[in-house]
Amino acid sequence: MNMRDCPDLLEITPSAGVERVRHGWRAKCLQRLVRMDLPVPRSFAIPAAAVQTIAAGRSGGLPGLSALFETGDGLVSVRPSAVMPDWGGPGTVLNVGINDATHARLAGRIGRGNADAIYLSFVQSYAINIARLDPDMFAQEGDGALAHALRLYHDEMDEDFPQDPARQLAEVLRSMARAWDGPSARLLRQAKGAPADAPLGLVVQDMALALGPGLSGSGTIQFVDPVTGTPRVTGRFRGQHHGAAVGSGAETLYLTCDERGTSLEDVAPDIFADLVRFGVAARERLREEMQIEFVLTDGRISIIDAVRLQRSSRASVRIAVALARDGIIPRTEAVMRVEPRALADLLHHQVDPRSPRDVIARGINASPGAATGRIVFSAAAAQAAAAREEACILVRRETVPEDIRGMHASVAVLTERGGTTSHAAVIARGLGKPCIVGASGIGIDGRARTLHAGARLLREGDEITIDGSSGEVLAGAAALLDPALDEAFTQLLDWADAAGGIGVRANADTPEDARTARRFSAQGIGLCRTEHMFFDADRLPAMREMIFADKPADRKLALDRILPMQRRDFIELFEIMAGLPVTIRLFDPPLHEFLPHDREGLRELAESLDLPLSDVTRRVEALSEFNPMLGMRGVRLGITVPEIYDMQARAIFEATVEASRKGAPVVPEIMVPLVSAMREVELVKTRVDAVAAAVRNERRSDFTYRLGVMVETPRAALRAGDIAAHATFLSFGTNDLTQMTYGLSRDDAGRFMGIYVGQGVYAEDPFHFLDNEGVGELLLVGARRARQQRPGITIAVCGEHGGNPESIDFCAEAQFDYVSCSPFRVPVARLAAAQSAINSRLRDKT
Ligand code: PEP
Ligand code: MG
């Protein structure tokens, strides 16, 4: 064809100036296939600028289109070609150009039935998508359907079905260009990260006929399993079939002998071998694992399209590592190709995407992974089920610290209330158990022990599956995939670590957490929340005695009973971490959390303390606060009840001496929570220094320690300069800092967060995604002021945001020293840290 006739049609030849930004990914991909000498039918790219002109109706129908139909069978297909494959686009239209004359010609060559099927499918598609006629009218198939459809078209449109191929094509192009501009297409692509005004190119390609004599049909072939990522050729070949056009003698074949049924490999081994050869070459040339779409015309192969293989998280890791190992992409590119969040899926069981899903409720996906178990409504029932070795799922309105043991005993947790940083969410993430919170559509009746989920009524003992990755509750036992902590996973993370980047530590409270942190190569513990250590059955009574003690001496006596247990906790943590830094946060929660809340619990407490019930009740009431999260907690307790911090400091130092004697020297990091004024730090530091001096003296052993401050009140961030005078490190507790900056309860916000995000009040849930503009500014201001006062001071983040790739990028940009997150989040954070470092180096280069 003479290209001067139609300057907007660029033939895709090896040397044509096809550009992804102008012509889209599909056009560029086809050019690569053409350059490889693969049998690609003649193809043309229409640039995005021309598509826009077409959409605006200013193209005059693109002059010169008729030249496209002068060769071959005179039929073409049109496919969308956006800049990124994920951005989608209008559906492909096949067989443009068919008219009475072509139909007659084709009937002679490929048989009347096949020619009818091709013509009919185009008339149907044109009538419905371009003339916008009622689809039901054009549903007829079989004998006489073509004549019927042409007659109907004439009756409805008052004209014959368009016979001019150029007019047909111009109308198809216009309809596709307009569809891309429509509001629903915009929303869809925006959801995939495309800008609202993303450009669209189109590709026009000669049709390779899949209907006709010999082995003819269309199919797809792929070379790895899209779910597991293991090398395996799979696909489908549909004989006498292409798009909606189904010819006589249609038959579906599998691609390989390994699959069930007859395969293309059996029927046509040479064709199969060629397809595999093309696939291997395409993988190398396109530097990607592809799915190839092909047509066989009487045994002749045409490669009509190739798309990046859709893949699961686990497959994405294996594919990236295999491409780098085969020398097709560099290791840093493999690191960049895997979405960090995808790694969270690999650490846990997942619902098999190939299995059916019976969704009965939805909530916030608070902790990833999937588990099946029987419903229990109380921590006690969970423990009883665990004792029977029965998998159970703890279903609660919300969880409280007393539920911890129940959470340990269950395989997953579901709560009606709460958000991403509520108790259930934080603890479940720490335990690595799937969890859904804020499932506001469910109704729990604790007494009747029933759960309403939409129209379903479930009882204690009924089986459900929690998909904590998607936030969906499924009825019954879903098919699960095992975790994929395989060699590819380890390899990818080793490459990620080699790329450098911000440090990654783990929030670890227990020896089990610490072991998980080591297993995932965390560089230390960035936050050990010590209060969990007080909830154990053998410690709670002493804790309660301490709370009820009137005099400091009695308080100390009770705490002395806890001291050896705390010391053991810390020795174990230090031993597991083997010289890596361990940051221990001093006691943080309000004391009220350690007291019983119901009458029965109060009675038992009165009995154990040998006090009248009224005394106990009065004392408990006196301790209750209107706003406990803003009340007597954190350093405020440390100053008003200093014996607690004294005991903890002693336990830490004695454990330091002990652990250093046996293994690597320990330099403990002690962190003071909820600070809002410099004087608080000064007071605590004076006492902790005194305890250190005493332990050094008693044990005749020297050690050092680092005292740091947890910055989780806005005032601490603003006053970070003078606070830094007494601290060797600052760690931003972004959970509380977000709560206090917004004045938004982290435990209750889940109730309306959906509405707030839906209406655009907040772009995202700020407990999930760090609010860079507000809370983030406090981080930057705090870090700057602290560094001015004490250059070289260590700056970190240890709130839940520490495991979030976007926040990690923010912290890395601000040159923080490390982030600390749930142990199971560490792999995600390591990959995100590497990607941030690689991106930053790339930016520096350009
Ligand atoms: C925080 O507030 O960010 C934090 C890490 O502490 P916690 O979640 O224990 O309040
Ligand atoms: Mg906090």
Side-chain angles (χ1 to χ4, degrees):
M1 132 181 207
N2 185 347
M3 295 311 300
R4 270 168 311 181
D5 291 344
C6 189
D8 282 330
L9 278 176
L10 175 64
E11 181 164 356
I12 303 180
T13 61
S15 59
V18 180
E19 292 168 31
R20 185 192 182 105
V21 278
R22 286 176 63 219
H23 301 97
W25 72 272
R26 177 167 269 130
K28 192 68 213 167
C29 176
L30 280 170
Q31 185 179 42
R32 294 201 173 114
L33 300 177
V34 168
R35 283 181 181 155
M36 291 164 57
D37 258 347
L38 294 192
V40 179
R42 190 179 63 148
S43 307
F44 296 87
I46 302 180
V51 175
Q52 269 167 3
T53 315
I54 295 169
R58 294 195 304 267
S59 66
L62 284 188
L65 287 184
S66 48
L68 280 174
F69 301 92
E70 284 163 7
T71 52
D73 291 310
L75 302 183
V76 299
S77 66
V78 188
R79 287 172 203 269
S81 180
V83 176
M84 301 294 288
D86 289 348
W87 296 357
T92 296
V93 183
L94 301 176
N95 301 313
V96 184
I98 190 155
N99 54 20
D100 294 347
T102 326
H103 172 251
R105 228 179 21 249
L106 280 181
R109 206 160 67 70
I110 64 172
R112 174 74 191 230
N114 287 332
D116 280 4
I118 291 174
Y119 201 0
L120 175 64
S121 81
F122 182 64
V123 174
Q124 287 169 329
S125 144
Y126 193 94
I128 295 164
N129 299 312
I130 288 143
R132 299 262 149 211
L133 298 178
D134 183 354
D136 291 343
M137 289 172 30
F138 288 86
Q140 190 181 327
E141 301 282 344
D143 283 350
L146 173 62
H148 176 72
L150 288 168
R151 208 169 36 249
L152 259 180
Y153 186 93
H154 180 272
D155 293 349
E156 290 295 314
M157 301 298 291
D158 273 339
E159 63 164 0
D160 282 340
F161 187 75
Q163 294 294 303
D164 175 9
R167 177 181 160 202
Q168 289 178 4
L169 179 56
E171 292 293 340
V172 167
L173 296 178
R174 192 182 54 81
S175 144
M176 290 174 81
R178 293 219 168 141
W180 179 253
D181 266 354
S184 52
R186 255 167 217 268
L187 278 179
L188 266 177
R189 63 178 177 263
Q190 277 178 287
K192 301 264 172 66
D197 58 352
L200 175 75
L202 292 170
V203 166
V204 181
Q205 188 180 68
D206 284 355
M207 284 294 297
L209 285 191
L211 277 60
L215 188 57
S216 295
S218 58
T220 55
I221 180 165
Q222 57 214 25
F223 306 89
V224 299
D225 184 303
V227 173
T228 63
T230 42
R232 189 164 90 94
V233 179
T234 54
R236 295 285 176 277
F237 172 74
R238 307 175 87 191
Q240 306 299 336
H241 205 129
H242 196 183
V246 186
S248 42
E251 185 192 10
T252 296
L253 302 179
Y254 292 93
L255 258 287
T256 67
C257 319
D258 299 345
E259 298 173 274
R260 284 162 292 123
T262 326
S263 75
L264 189 69
E265 190 179 13
D266 297 321
V267 174
D270 293 348
I271 292 175
F272 177 79
D274 278 347
L275 285 170
V276 171
R277 192 164 52 78
F278 295 159
V280 170
R283 176 176 183 258
E284 278 176 22
R285 186 66 177 242
L286 302 175
R287 306 166 71 247
E288 185 46 288
E289 199 61 61
M290 305 299 287
Q291 181 183 62
I292 290 176
E293 201 179 329
F294 64 94
V295 162
L296 296 187
T297 309
D298 198 6
R300 198 179 66 249
I301 302 175
S302 297
I303 303 294
I304 60 170
D305 199 21
V307 292
R308 179 180 175 273
L309 181 72
Q310 291 288 333
R311 59 199 71 175
S312 71
S313 304
R314 59 191 64 206
S316 75
V317 172
R318 283 201 181 141
I319 289 171
V321 168
L323 285 169
R325 283 208 177 125
D326 294 344
I328 296 170
I329 58 172
R331 290 172 180 182
T332 46
E333 194 168 335
V335 167
M336 294 305 284
R337 283 201 184 183
V338 176
E339 167 66 34
R341 283 191 176 81
L343 292 190
D345 294 343
L346 275 69
L347 310 181
H348 311 279
H349 285 95
Q350 290 292 304
V351 175
D352 190 331
R354 296 164 293 199
S355 68
R357 300 170 75 88
D358 183 4
V359 179
I360 54 171
R362 288 188 170 81
I364 297 170
N365 46 348
S367 179
T372 299
R374 298 191 181 283
I375 297 173
V376 291
F377 292 102
S378 68
Q383 287 175 274
R388 296 193 301 273
E389 296 192 356
E390 211 174 83
C392 67
I393 291 175
L394 182 62
V395 180
R396 306 277 288 157
R397 206 153 277 148
E398 62 206 332
T399 61
V400 290
E402 287 163 36
D403 288 322
I404 279 271
R405 270 167 278 147
M407 291 180 74
H408 271 279
S410 6
V411 294
V413 180
L414 167 65
T415 69
E416 184 184 340
R417 299 192 187 143
T420 40
T421 56
S422 62
H423 181 265
V426 173
I427 301 297
R429 276 198 294 277
L431 296 175
K433 298 197 176 185
C435 174
I436 297 175
V437 298
S440 47
I442 63 170
I444 298 168
D445 186 337
R447 278 219 190 125
R449 294 197 292 200
T450 56
L451 165 71
H452 279 275
R456 311 269 188 109
L457 175 69
L458 297 145
R459 300 181 187 285
E460 189 154 80
D462 285 352
E463 204 168 42
I464 56 171
T465 299
I466 295 293
D467 185 346
S469 303
S470 71
E472 288 174 337
V473 185
L474 313 177
L480 300 185
L481 293 173
D482 287 334
L485 298 181
D486 55 11
E487 190 262 336
F489 173 88
T490 311
Q491 178 66 87
L492 186 81
L493 284 174
D494 284 350
W495 291 340
D497 291 347
I502 187 169
V504 177
R505 295 195 193 178
N507 294 351
D509 307 342
T510 62
E512 198 183 327
D513 290 346
R515 276 188 280 271
T516 310
R518 287 300 307 272
R519 189 153 53 98
F520 294 143
S521 305
Q523 293 162 9
I525 293 179
L527 171 64
C528 170
R529 293 174 164 105
T530 49
E531 54 273 14
H532 296 304
M533 298 169 172
F534 294 85
F535 279 108
D536 273 5
D538 52 346
R539 304 176 190 198
L540 202 52
M543 190 62 191
R544 288 174 170 171
E545 253 173 60
M546 188 280 293
I547 296 171
F548 276 80
D550 288 323
K551 297 192 285 284
D554 294 342
R555 239 179 258 148
K556 186 169 176 313
L557 268 182
L559 286 165
D560 279 349
R561 282 171 47 210
I562 299 178
L563 174 69
M565 304 186 226
Q566 278 259 279
R567 190 172 50 221
R568 263 203 317 277
D569 293 332
F570 296 135
I571 290 174
E572 207 174 346
L573 283 186
F574 292 148
E575 282 176 355
I576 294 168
M577 297 312 288
L580 291 173
V582 176
T583 307
I584 296 162
R585 177 178 77 182
L586 298 176
F587 193 86
D588 182 49
L591 292 179
H592 194 250
E593 285 192 8
F594 294 85
L595 299 175
H597 300 288
D598 56 4
R599 210 176 151 72
E600 183 53 25
L602 287 169
R603 207 190 50 73
E604 276 173 19
L605 181 59
E607 210 170 66
S608 70
L609 295 172
D610 196 19
L611 288 172
L613 178 61
S614 55
D615 271 17
V616 171
T617 311
R618 207 172 325 114
R619 198 62 175 264
V620 169
E621 277 167 6
L623 273 172
S624 85
E625 296 173 289
F626 284 107
N627 241 328
M629 294 312 278
L630 298 178
M632 182 76 99
R633 57 171 282 219
V635 67
R636 297 162 196 170
L637 258 179
I639 285 168
T640 49
V641 191
E643 297 82 5
I644 303 177
Y645 280 11
D646 286 352
M647 180 279 286
Q648 289 198 295
R650 176 168 279 278
I652 293 168
F653 294 137
E654 289 179 357
T656 300
V657 173
E658 195 89 356
S660 302
R661 200 171 284 150
K662 290 193 219 149
V666 176
V667 179
E669 300 184 350
I670 297 180
M671 183 154 73
V672 189
L674 214 81
V675 165
S676 58
M678 181 263 271
R679 180 78 182 135
E680 290 168 327
V681 190
E682 223 172 29
L683 288 171
V684 172
K685 185 167 176 356
T686 306
R687 286 191 80 113
V688 174
D689 277 343
V691 176
V695 175
R696 279 190 196 107
N697 215 8
E698 289 159 21
R699 300 288 171 118
R700 298 188 192 295
S701 173
D702 203 15
F703 56 85
T704 52
Y705 81 99
R706 284 155 57 83
L707 187 103
V709 166
M710 196 158 171
V711 179
E712 48 187 346
T713 66
R715 193 175 190 282
L718 295 171
R719 303 304 303 165
D722 43 60
I723 287 173
H726 302 285
T728 59
F729 65 92
L730 298 186
S731 188
F732 289 96
T734 47
N735 303 334
D736 272 312
L737 191 58
T738 299
Q739 169 163 266
M740 294 193 210
T741 304
Y742 277 82
L744 188 65
S745 159
R746 56 197 265 199
D747 297 301
D748 301 311
R751 281 199 214 174
F752 58 87
M753 193 55 75
I755 298 174
Y756 254 50
V757 172
Q759 299 202 7
V761 183
Y762 303 151
E764 301 282 358
D765 177 348
F767 290 110
H768 208 154
F769 290 91
L770 183 72
D771 157 44
N772 290 0
E773 292 163 0
V775 180
E777 175 146 15
L778 282 172
L779 262 56
L780 298 181
V781 167
R784 193 178 65 241
R785 292 184 182 169
R787 283 169 171 156
Q788 270 161 6
Q789 166 71 36
R790 187 189 275 249
I793 185 170
T794 303
I795 308 273
V797 163
C798 64
E800 290 301 305
H801 304 88
N804 175 330
E806 293 77 15
S807 318
I808 291 170
D809 191 46
F810 181 90
C811 297
E813 279 293 289
Q815 309 210 320
F816 285 12
D817 295 278
Y818 66 87
V819 291
S820 189
C821 53
S822 306
F824 283 95
R825 200 74 189 166
V826 166
V828 174
R830 283 165 64 197
L831 185 57
Q835 292 188 353
S836 177
I838 294 168
N839 273 333
S840 149
R841 281 200 290 273
L842 286 177
R843 271 197 305 272
D844 287 350
K845 267 194 202 156
T846 52

